[in-house]
Amino acid sequence: MVSIKSSSEISKMKIAGKILGQALKMLEEMIKPGINCLDLDKAFLEFITSKGCTSNFFGYYDYPAHICVSINEQLIHGIPQNRTIQDGDIVSIDTGCVYEGYHADAAITKICGMPKNEKDIKLVNDTKKSLELAIEQVRDGVRIGTISATVQKFIEQNGFQLPTDFAGHGIGTAMHEDPLIPNTGVADTGMRLKAGMTICIEPMVQVSTSKTITAKDNWTVISADNSMAAHFEHTILVTEEGCEILTLFKD
Ligand code: MF3
Ligand code: CO
């Protein structure tokens, strides 16, 4: 069931989103050669706790951490390990928190230190751009296929690949609500978005295959050919005129 949020629900979603935007900014600044993934998880938990939030990742299907850190060929759901991030690593950080029962979910990808090559830079920039282009399409009445097709067209034009096993989603009193927001689709098809819906759009992109495999830890999703991967995500409120990005960094 797709829910339309009331104004008091939206106020809580906005608080959750703002705190998550601040937490992600902090993590982004911490990504430097030599940082340990466990320190990112710890700093994140401390930050959201200090703001009155709890973790929605920890314990989700027994997920054992508070953020996901997915490095290089890892696409999503990397469990933070006792691992030091190296110069040139492509680091995707996926985060979520709950404020008074309302969830926010957001992800960024950053190249640590000095990028190894132009292709890595293009992968990260194009993945981010595909999210921005999709967000520009969001407003009351727009069909979900139009959002999906916007991501797909831009990513494919730029020669990258889109795994189809994972998608964006509605969000609210649960991290994952209806509707599903796929990263591939046909414009002007599917359900119409309505003002008051809150959704997550999250392009997940790989360099040279759309196939993924799940690692032995049963969580980490890796590109099937070990090519590099990137992921960006925002929690978004659909409005009459357009949308509001809830997980942007604000002071
Ligand atoms: N944030 C992810 C999503 O976008 C879900 C994280 S799975 C978890 O849907 F297990 F790590 F929580
Ligand atoms: Co999500």
Side-chain angles (χ1 to χ4, degrees), residues 94 105-106 167-169 175-176 200 202 231 233:
D94 193 350
D105 182 8
H169 48 91
M175 176 161 57
H176 293 136
C200 292
E202 49 179 318
H231 176 210
E233 175 174 20

Side-chain angles (χ1 to χ4, degrees), residues 56-58 60-61 63 65 67-68 77 94-96 105-106 167 169 175-176 200 202 219 231 233:
N56 41 9
F57 285 21
F58 186 81
Y60 183 81
Y61 291 96
Y63 187 73
I67 62 174
C68 303
H77 300 170
D94 193 350
T95 60
D105 182 8
H169 48 91
M175 176 161 57
H176 293 136
C200 292
E202 49 179 318
W219 276 105
H231 176 210
E233 175 174 20

Side-chain angles (χ1 to χ4, degrees), residues 27 37 40-41 44 57 63 65-69 78 80 93-95:
L27 293 177
C37 296
L40 296 174
D41 192 86
F44 175 79
F57 285 21
Y63 187 73
H66 309 90
I67 62 174
C68 303
V69 183
I93 301 205
D94 193 350
T95 60

Side-chain angles (χ1 to χ4, degrees), residues 5-184:
K5 272 72 180 178
S6 68
S7 58
S8 73
E9 290 182 292
I10 289 168
S11 317
K12 289 174 187 166
M13 301 269 319
K14 283 185 178 173
I15 296 171
K18 181 177 173 183
I19 293 165
L20 200 59
Q22 291 172 334
L24 256 183
K25 170 89 168 173
M26 173 192 74
L27 293 177
E28 184 175 15
E29 286 169 0
M30 287 176 76
I31 300 175
K32 299 224 169 75
I35 181 83
N36 192 300
C37 296
L38 294 178
D39 292 333
L40 296 174
D41 192 86
K42 186 162 177 271
F44 175 79
L45 179 62
E46 274 172 20
F47 183 82
I48 64 163
T49 304
S50 77
K51 300 284 183 184
C53 291
T54 54
S55 171
N56 41 9
F57 285 21
F58 186 81
Y60 183 81
Y61 291 96
D62 291 329
Y63 187 73
H66 309 90
I67 62 174
C68 303
V69 183
S70 308
I71 302 172
N72 296 332
E73 74 285 356
Q74 300 173 348
L75 176 66
I76 49 170
H77 300 170
I79 302 169
Q81 307 287 350
N82 182 13
R83 169 176 174 174
T84 300
I85 298 175
Q86 307 294 312
D87 201 32
D89 278 347
I90 302 176
V91 185
S92 299
I93 301 205
D94 193 350
T95 60
C97 72
V98 191
Y99 180 80
E100 290 187 4
Y102 287 84
H103 292 243
D105 182 8
I108 55 159
T109 300
K110 181 183 170 176
I111 301 179
C112 176
M114 184 74 84
K116 287 201 180 103
N117 55 58
E118 288 299 319
K119 188 108 186 200
D120 288 357
I121 299 172
K122 182 169 170 57
L123 169 70
V124 174
N125 288 346
D126 288 355
T127 306
K128 184 170 193 203
K129 181 75 181 174
S130 73
L131 174 58
E132 290 164 358
L133 292 171
I135 290 173
E136 281 175 22
Q137 295 294 320
V138 176
R139 62 175 166 75
D140 183 85
V142 163
R143 300 175 81 165
I144 289 173
T146 301
I147 309 300
S148 308
T150 301
V151 173
Q152 182 173 12
K153 185 163 168 244
F154 182 75
I155 292 301
E156 290 181 353
Q157 269 173 0
N158 282 284
F160 292 121
Q161 306 288 323
L162 284 163
T164 51
D165 326 347
F166 305 94
H169 48 91
I171 185 166
T173 53
M175 176 161 57
H176 293 136
E177 294 185 351
D178 289 337
L180 210 61
I181 317 277
N183 291 315
T184 59

